[in-house]
Structure formats: C-alpha cells, structure tokens
Amino acid sequence: MSLTTDAITAAVLFGPGAVLGACHLVSRRGDKSDSAAVRRVLAERAARSTADGIAPPDGGEGAPTPTDARPVPLATVLAFPEGRVRRAA
C-alpha cells in the first residue's frame, strides 16, 4: 500500500473517533462546577426540611388502606368466539 491509501484509511478509521472525543471533552468541561452546585442545593433542602419538620414520618408515605368495594371495570369486555373458524375469501 502507498502512503496516500494509508493516510486515507487512518482518516476514515480514526477521524470520527477523534471528532466525537473532542465533542465529548468539550461537553464535560463544566461538570465539576455543576455537580458542586447541585450538591450544595440538595444539602440546603435537606437541612431546611429537617429543621421545619417537613420530612414524612418513617421516611415516606404509608400504604393505602384496602377497601372491600369491587373495582369498577374501565371498559366492556366481550367474550372471544372460540368455536368459529374463519373462512378464506
């Protein structure tokens, strides 16, 4: 192979990876500052909710109380005809 075909092959194989890698690195540039800001806001919310007594008891909402009522069907259910055979046209 010649030098030209080797260069073209290298550009085809490594070019998209290099472009996508550069785009990825540019998009990750501000992650540390964003993560620090998010952690700070979450810590403030947690401190405020425990100070105000807003936190739910036992760490969450209780289970719903069961009822004896029969559930209302959402749609009419029709029985599928089992004995009929479809005739070819």
Side-chain angles (χ1 to χ4, degrees), residues 43-55:
E44 289 173 3
R45 283 186 186 172
R48 186 176 48 216
S49 69
T50 56
D52 297 340
I54 300 174

Side-chain angles (χ1 to χ4, degrees), residues 33-58:
S33 62
D34 289 345
S35 296
V38 168
R39 280 195 299 268
R40 186 177 64 247
V41 168
L42 290 176
E44 289 173 3
R45 283 186 186 172
R48 186 176 48 216
S49 69
T50 56
D52 297 340
I54 300 174
D58 299 330

Side-chain angles (χ1 to χ4, degrees), residues 60-83:
E61 183 178 341
T65 57
T67 60
D68 293 334
R70 185 174 178 197
V72 178
L74 299 177
T76 304
V77 178
L78 301 175
F80 186 78
E82 297 174 7

